[in-house]
Amino acid sequence: MNLIDKLESKERLSYEDGLALYELDLFTLGKYANERRKALYGKKAFFNINRHINPTNICKDICKFCAFSANRKNPNPYTLSHEEIIEVLDTSITHNITEVHIVSAHNPDAGLEWYLGMFSKIRAKYPNLHIKALTAAEINFLATTYNMSFETMIDRMIEAGVDSLPGGGAEIFDEKVREYICKGKVNSKEWLEIHKIWHSRGKQSNATMLFGHVEDRGHRIDHMLRLRDLQDESGGFNAFIPLVYQRDNNYLRVEKFLSPIEILKTYAISRLMLDNIPHIKAYWATSTINLALIAQEFGADDLDGTIEKESIQSAAGAASSHGLDLNTFLELIQTSGFIPVERDSLYHELKVYDQ
Ligand code: V47
């Protein structure tokens, strides 16, 4: 069966099909991705009101793409106290956040109790706030450092109040590329294993892919297929988030920016390849807000959230350090022809802004 017939009949796509999708022109590809998106959600565009907190930037690992961790190019180490984290939330809660998204670094001096204690303190003060925290890379770091199985570490996180896992740390699963860009941190098998265990506890998570650096199209398709295979088994992924590589202030030299067309194709292909992951998130912090709005026509149905403050991508050049004001965000979605739908972290609809 040829590719177009497969797309028409919604047949599951192979690795070779994934590569062939990149060869289609953007509008043919976009038509099929948009059809899938429309069938699922019509003109709805999901977002949440969230606060990102990055509580420490001291990291024992050196990922070439990272401009956030304290190092020669960013010699400003910090670790927030639990009190400082709660103070941040005391302000954010007045902006009606429903989620706190916590991603740190692999800080060898902070101690396990610093990591877990911040969750129990947040949970005690804000029982209804959804805590999305710790990437599989951090879980691997903590389990290894404190001699625990992934299972024990995950159960301790759940006990402390963590509700879901963000999708970070996945980067690119291909072992050779991974060795080059982030040698020493969680490997691909471990990343997938951690999410599988998390899902086995009846919990949900997201998955990211960092693209636009030294990987090729085949590596991206391979990455998507490894996620699709796990999702067939465990079913716990809510959203897939292609993160566009930002190249300032880090150690990974990349000659060329990705073209907007290649970025839009990658969103569209994610929608088509990942037939079992419900949401494709155009994370505006890395794609730019304008391209994220256009990505809604190419398979993406979610734009992440208002963010408020963001330190990882903005350290590498993204314009996300101060998040986006809610009214601006709503207006941008509406003027691009979509209906903003505020969701909670697990995609229950909270408010539809249909006028
Ligand atoms: O894993 C680091 C990425 C991730 C750069 O689950 C970079 O809803 C681009 O995971 N250029 C952390 N990206 C952020 C993350 C995330 C973001 C938004 C939503 C969700 C979610 C998760 O940031 C890291 C890494 O892949 N990152 N450096 C960079 N130079």
Side-chain angles (χ1 to χ4, degrees):
M1 197 187 272
N2 80 24
L3 183 60
I4 296 295
D5 290 338
K6 273 187 161 178
L7 288 170
E8 292 284 346
S9 61
K10 301 193 173 57
E11 191 162 308
R12 190 160 249 208
L13 301 168
S14 66
Y15 175 83
E16 288 69 27
D17 294 329
L19 285 181
L21 287 173
Y22 272 111
E23 301 300 331
L24 293 177
D25 71 276
L26 178 64
F27 293 106
T28 305
L29 179 59
K31 174 178 105 85
Y32 288 106
N34 192 35
E35 267 174 23
R36 301 279 168 94
R37 181 222 194 278
K38 255 180 24 200
L40 289 164
Y41 311 112
K43 280 285 180 186
K44 287 179 176 174
F46 297 99
F47 74 98
N48 69 351
I49 305 184
N50 63 351
R51 165 82 204 207
H52 284 218
I53 303 186
N54 307 115
T56 181
N57 67 350
I58 297 174
C59 197
K60 75 155 194 59
D61 287 308
I62 303 169
C63 297
K64 285 198 173 81
F65 54 79
C66 182
F68 165 66
S69 72
N71 58 46
R72 239 179 329 120
K73 293 199 177 181
N74 173 26
N76 294 305
Y78 71 82
T79 302
L80 300 182
S81 67
H82 291 165
E83 290 65 36
E84 286 170 316
I85 293 167
I86 294 287
E87 268 169 35
V88 166
L89 288 178
D90 289 341
T91 307
S92 295
I93 215 81
T94 66
H95 307 149
N96 300 320
I97 59 162
T98 58
E99 170 188 287
V100 58
H101 177 165
I102 302 178
V103 175
S104 290
H106 310 157
N107 186 331
D109 307 319
L112 184 60
E113 279 319 308
W114 177 81
Y115 278 92
L116 291 175
M118 82 175 93
F119 307 132
S120 40
K121 286 187 184 146
I122 295 171
R123 177 54 67 241
K125 181 143 192 203
Y126 295 111
N128 298 322
L129 185 63
H130 183 103
I131 304 177
K132 181 165 89 179
L134 294 191
T135 66
E138 291 163 279
I139 296 174
N140 176 65
F141 159 70
L142 292 169
T144 314
T145 308
Y146 299 102
N147 282 320
M148 272 183 287
S149 62
F150 294 151
E151 282 83 355
T152 306
M153 180 60 211
I154 280 170
D155 291 336
R156 299 270 315 258
M157 288 165 59
I158 293 173
E159 250 170 58
V162 176
D163 294 298
S164 69
L165 294 190
E171 323 313 355
I172 278 282
F173 289 143
D174 177 82
E175 281 70 16
K176 276 215 178 96
V177 176
R178 208 172 174 83
E179 161 114 4
Y180 180 68
I181 65 174
C182 56
K183 190 177 175 184
K185 83 166 181 194
V186 66
N187 69 33
S188 309
K189 265 181 77 185
E190 290 162 340
W191 191 99
L192 292 163
E193 177 68 18
I194 287 167
H195 281 260
K196 186 174 167 181
I197 299 168
W198 184 258
H199 297 165
S200 77
R201 303 298 195 257
K203 300 277 183 188
Q204 294 171 34
S205 68
N206 290 337
T208 56
M209 173 179 77
L210 183 66
F211 74 114
H213 43 89
V214 297
E215 91 294 352
D216 62 26
R217 289 171 168 179
H219 298 133
R220 293 178 211 152
I221 303 295
D222 167 65
H223 188 95
M224 293 175 201
L225 290 182
R226 294 196 207 192
L227 288 171
R228 191 174 77 183
D229 285 348
L230 175 55
Q231 179 76 339
D232 276 344
E233 245 184 274
S234 66
F237 289 118
N238 270 331
F240 178 65
I241 309 153
L243 297 169
V244 182
Y245 174 61
Q246 313 290 302
R247 60 178 181 176
D248 291 351
N249 307 316
N250 60 20
Y251 297 92
L252 184 58
R253 291 280 62 85
V254 171
E255 293 307 318
K256 272 192 173 166
F257 275 127
L258 273 189
S259 73
I261 292 177
E262 188 74 5
I263 297 172
L264 289 175
K265 281 187 171 183
T266 304
Y267 286 122
I269 292 170
S270 313
R271 169 62 73 197
L272 294 167
M273 295 301 295
L274 294 172
D275 51 17
N276 54 3
I277 298 189
H279 298 281
I280 303 296
K281 185 188 284 192
Y283 181 50
W284 62 265
T286 66
S287 62
T288 73
I289 184 67
N290 281 341
L291 202 60
L293 293 166
I294 296 170
Q296 298 178 105
E297 306 276 358
F298 292 85
D301 63 283
D302 188 281
L303 298 175
D304 196 70
T306 45
I307 297 179
E308 270 192 47
K309 186 170 178 348
E310 191 283 319
S311 308
I312 298 181
Q313 276 83 24
S314 54
S320 49
S321 58
H322 300 299
L324 264 177
D325 155 76
L326 178 61
N327 287 331
T328 310
F329 202 43
L330 294 174
E331 212 178 303
L332 285 169
I333 296 172
Q334 281 166 332
T335 52
S336 62
F338 287 83
I339 303 165
V341 177
E342 185 194 340
R343 59 165 177 84
D344 70 11
S345 304
L346 305 179
Y347 288 86
H348 304 108
E349 295 186 12
L350 299 179
K351 184 164 179 185
V352 181
Y353 291 83
D354 50 2
Q355 16 218 337

